[in-house]
């Protein structure tokens, strides 16, 4: 949508705003609001005061136009669903319910394509798309802790939520071959076992490297030592991979040719190639505690910023409303518009990213002191 309106502005005003960060930010905000409006109406208008070089911008867009300029993105959504079904090795006819996740699933075209893809099956809309992930996390927490109340709820009855491994996990053996032990999308907790052997005569040790198969990422390695002097292929090394409910991978190995009398020494997975040492983990934990305070401050800052932005745009719309504006003197209407524009310009300034929550709250208070008496009068 942003690209579309950048072109529209260029055609109307013969000005290129594609490299102007402030103008693009204003346009992106307006497009986001228009996208939401088009989920409920067939046509809307984008209006931006002083978009670029003091030039106002106004342009209409219909739902059909919105669908057309975003058609490639909508098709990508369907391709993702096809990939998910293929990886899960299930047919779309086996799907019981389709649960939309995320605000963009409110777009009528996406809903239409979903229903067509699943042969006209109705979407499950009893759960707010913005809350679906949190709802699933709640069910998973109830399953893990043995909670009864959440699972007895008629909406949740019969639902099961599984964590899965995002990548296949395996071992790199002689010759650079990778043997997959835990396939991608395996539900966790899980445990897989495999038997390995030596590649040459009188080989007394095996070095096996752990890999995340799709990415090729090196996770670490372990060495099995003190193997008996035997011809190749005779020693049997039992290797097991297990992932617990917290997603932590454990690897164990022992020499089967000596029975249970002696376990093969298995070195701790090294921190080479991406693993973390105990000291590094402790350092990260300390940093996490430190940043928790910053996270709270950022949350307060965002809430204050959103409050100011919502109030400013709401009051501007009220002032423009014919019924309300008719009850205001021209000077009063201009006073509201001027105050609101000052607040919006301040929000659009690049330096606002460094502003604190108290500054947003102060700006909101100043704006309310000007606008509230006049709006209440109307």
């Amino acid at each position: 949508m942003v690209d579309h309106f950048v072109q529209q502005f260029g055609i109307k005003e013969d000005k290129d705003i594609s490299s102007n960060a402030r103008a693009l930010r204003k346009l992106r905000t307006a497009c986001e609001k228009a996208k939401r409006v088009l989920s409920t109406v067939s046509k809307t208008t984008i209006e931006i005061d002083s978009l670029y070089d003091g030039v106002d911008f106004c342009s209409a867009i219909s739902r059909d136009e919105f669908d057309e300029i975003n058609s490639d993105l909508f098709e990508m959504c369907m391709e993702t669903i096809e990939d998910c079904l293929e990886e899960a090795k299930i047919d779309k006819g086996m799907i019981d319910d389709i649960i939309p996740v995320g605000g963009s699933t409110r777009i009528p075209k996406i809903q239409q394509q979903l229903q067509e893809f699943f042969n006209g099956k109705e979407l499950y809309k009893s759960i707010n798309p913005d809350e679906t992930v949190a709802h699933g996390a709640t069910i998973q927490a109830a399953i893990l802790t043995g909670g009864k109340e959440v699972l007895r709820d008629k909406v949740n009855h019969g639902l099961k939520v599984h964590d899965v491994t995002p990548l296949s996990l395996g071992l790199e053996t002689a010759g650079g071959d990778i043997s997959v032990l835990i396939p991608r999308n395996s539900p966790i907790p899980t445990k897989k076992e495999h038997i390995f052997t030596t590649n040459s005569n009188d080989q007394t040790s095996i070095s096996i490297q752990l890999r995340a198969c799709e990415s090729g990422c090196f996770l670490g390695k372990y060495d099995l030592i003190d193997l008996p002097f035997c011809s190749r292929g005779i020693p049997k090394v039992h290797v097991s991979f297990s992932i617990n409910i917290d997603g932590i991978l454990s690897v164990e190995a022992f020499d089967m040719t000596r029975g249970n009398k002696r376990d093969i020494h298995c070195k701790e997975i090294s921190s080479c190639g991406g693993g973390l040492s105990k000291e590094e983990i402790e350092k990260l934990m300390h940093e996490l505690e430190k940043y928790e305070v910053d996270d709270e401050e950022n949350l307060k800052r965002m809430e204050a910023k959103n409050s100011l932005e919502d109030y400013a745009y709401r009051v501007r719309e009220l002032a423009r409303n014919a019924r309300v504006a008719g009850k205001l003197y021209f000077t009063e209407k201009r006073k509201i518009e001027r105050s609101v524009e000052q607040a919006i310009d301040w929000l659009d300034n690049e330096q606002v990213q460094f502003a604190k929550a108290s500054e947003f709250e102060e700006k909101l208070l100043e704006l309310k002191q000007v606008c509230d008496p006049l709006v209440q009068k109307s």
Side-chain angles (χ1 to χ4, degrees):
M1 284 183 74
V2 173
D3 292 341
H4 171 75
F5 285 117
V6 166
Q7 294 176 8
Q8 291 290 315
F9 189 81
I11 293 171
K12 287 183 179 180
E13 307 296 337
D14 195 25
K15 295 177 183 290
D16 182 15
I17 62 172
S18 59
S19 59
N20 187 284
R22 181 183 179 190
L24 290 177
R25 188 162 54 250
K26 282 186 173 183
L27 186 55
R28 189 172 292 109
T29 300
C31 285
E32 174 64 25
K33 292 180 179 178
K35 181 192 77 172
R36 297 181 183 183
V37 171
L38 286 172
S39 294
T40 55
V41 301
S42 60
K43 190 173 184 178
T44 189
T45 302
I46 283 182
E47 296 181 5
I48 306 174
D49 293 339
S50 188
L51 176 60
Y52 183 71
D53 279 352
V55 178
D56 298 339
F57 179 61
C58 178
S59 183
I61 183 171
S62 67
R63 185 183 293 175
D64 290 338
E65 290 174 312
F66 173 80
D67 292 344
E68 183 179 350
I69 63 178
N70 291 288
S71 60
D72 57 333
L73 300 176
F74 297 156
E75 289 301 322
M76 287 172 60
C77 293
M78 298 303 107
E79 291 171 5
T80 300
I81 293 173
E82 290 178 347
D83 291 342
C84 289
L85 291 174
E86 184 178 346
E87 289 182 8
K89 296 180 174 59
I90 59 176
D91 183 78
K92 59 185 178 182
M94 301 168 63
I95 302 297
D96 294 323
D97 288 300
I98 306 132
I99 305 175
V101 180
S104 290
T105 55
R106 292 189 176 93
I107 297 174
K109 186 64 174 179
I110 290 182
Q111 295 183 355
Q112 177 191 337
Q113 289 185 326
L114 273 173
Q115 286 190 262
E116 290 175 353
F117 181 83
F118 286 100
N119 303 321
K121 192 175 186 63
E122 290 292 328
L123 304 185
Y124 188 93
K125 298 181 181 179
S126 296
I127 303 175
N128 187 323
D130 297 322
E131 301 171 358
T132 306
V133 174
H135 194 108
T138 303
I139 297 172
Q140 177 71 335
I143 292 171
L144 296 177
T145 58
K148 306 282 187 189
E149 293 182 4
V150 172
L151 298 179
R152 270 200 297 261
D153 188 288
K154 63 179 181 180
V155 175
N156 305 323
H157 183 67
L159 288 179
K160 293 184 179 180
V161 182
H162 294 289
D163 282 335
V164 298
T165 55
L167 298 172
S168 302
L169 301 176
L171 304 175
E172 180 180 335
T173 55
D177 294 330
I178 296 180
S179 177
V180 176
L181 268 73
I182 299 182
R184 182 181 181 183
N185 291 326
S186 295
I188 57 176
T190 186
K191 183 174 182 177
K192 301 292 182 181
E193 302 173 337
H194 194 75
I195 305 298
F196 291 89
T197 188
T198 53
N199 194 49
S200 59
N201 295 332
D202 298 328
Q203 182 177 336
T204 59
S205 67
I206 297 178
S207 180
I208 304 180
Q209 300 186 42
L210 280 65
R211 295 276 182 182
C213 302
E214 285 80 8
S215 66
C217 178
F218 175 71
L219 301 178
K221 70 175 183 178
Y222 62 85
D223 295 327
L224 307 176
I225 62 175
D226 295 335
L227 295 177
F229 288 92
C230 297
S231 300
R232 57 178 292 181
I234 293 180
K236 303 297 180 185
V237 176
H238 180 275
V239 179
S240 67
F241 271 33
S242 61
I243 302 179
N244 67 13
I245 199 66
D246 296 318
I248 298 174
L249 171 66
S250 299
V251 181
E252 296 179 348
F254 62 92
D255 178 12
M256 297 179 65
T257 59
R258 296 184 176 180
N260 295 323
K261 293 181 180 178
R262 181 179 179 184
D263 288 340
I264 292 295
H265 174 59
C266 180
K267 292 184 178 179
E268 291 184 1
I269 296 174
S270 70
S271 61
C272 302
L276 297 176
S277 65
K278 183 178 179 181
E279 291 75 18
E280 289 171 324
I281 292 174
E282 290 178 352
K283 180 182 177 181
L284 287 175
M285 292 301 294
H286 286 307
E287 290 180 352
L288 179 62
E289 293 173 359
K290 172 187 172 185
Y291 291 135
E292 279 182 356
V293 177
D294 294 338
D295 289 341
E296 291 179 5
E297 289 298 321
N298 284 332
L299 179 60
K300 291 179 181 178
R301 178 183 174 279
M302 289 306 299
E303 289 176 345
K305 179 178 181 293
N306 290 337
S307 295
L308 174 59
E309 190 174 54
D310 290 345
Y311 181 83
Y313 281 104
R314 182 161 50 85
V315 169
R316 186 172 72 172
E317 289 302 315
L318 283 172
R320 289 177 175 177
N321 185 287
R323 182 177 58 81
V324 174
K327 298 181 181 180
L328 294 174
Y329 292 113
F330 177 78
T331 54
E332 293 174 332
K333 183 171 179 288
R334 287 298 301 153
K335 186 176 182 181
I336 291 176
E337 291 178 342
R338 190 162 46 248
S339 299
V340 168
E341 289 306 320
Q342 288 175 353
I344 292 175
D345 287 343
W346 183 78
L347 284 166
D348 288 339
N349 192 299
E350 292 183 1
Q351 295 301 316
V352 80
Q353 60 182 311
F354 305 110
K356 297 179 180 179
S358 57
E359 294 179 68
F360 290 106
E361 292 168 353
E362 184 178 343
K363 287 286 183 183
L364 177 59
L365 181 60
E366 292 175 0
L367 188 59
K368 283 187 172 183
Q369 288 175 342
V370 173
C371 298
D372 275 359
L374 298 176
V375 172
Q376 290 170 5
K377 172 187 174 182
S378 65

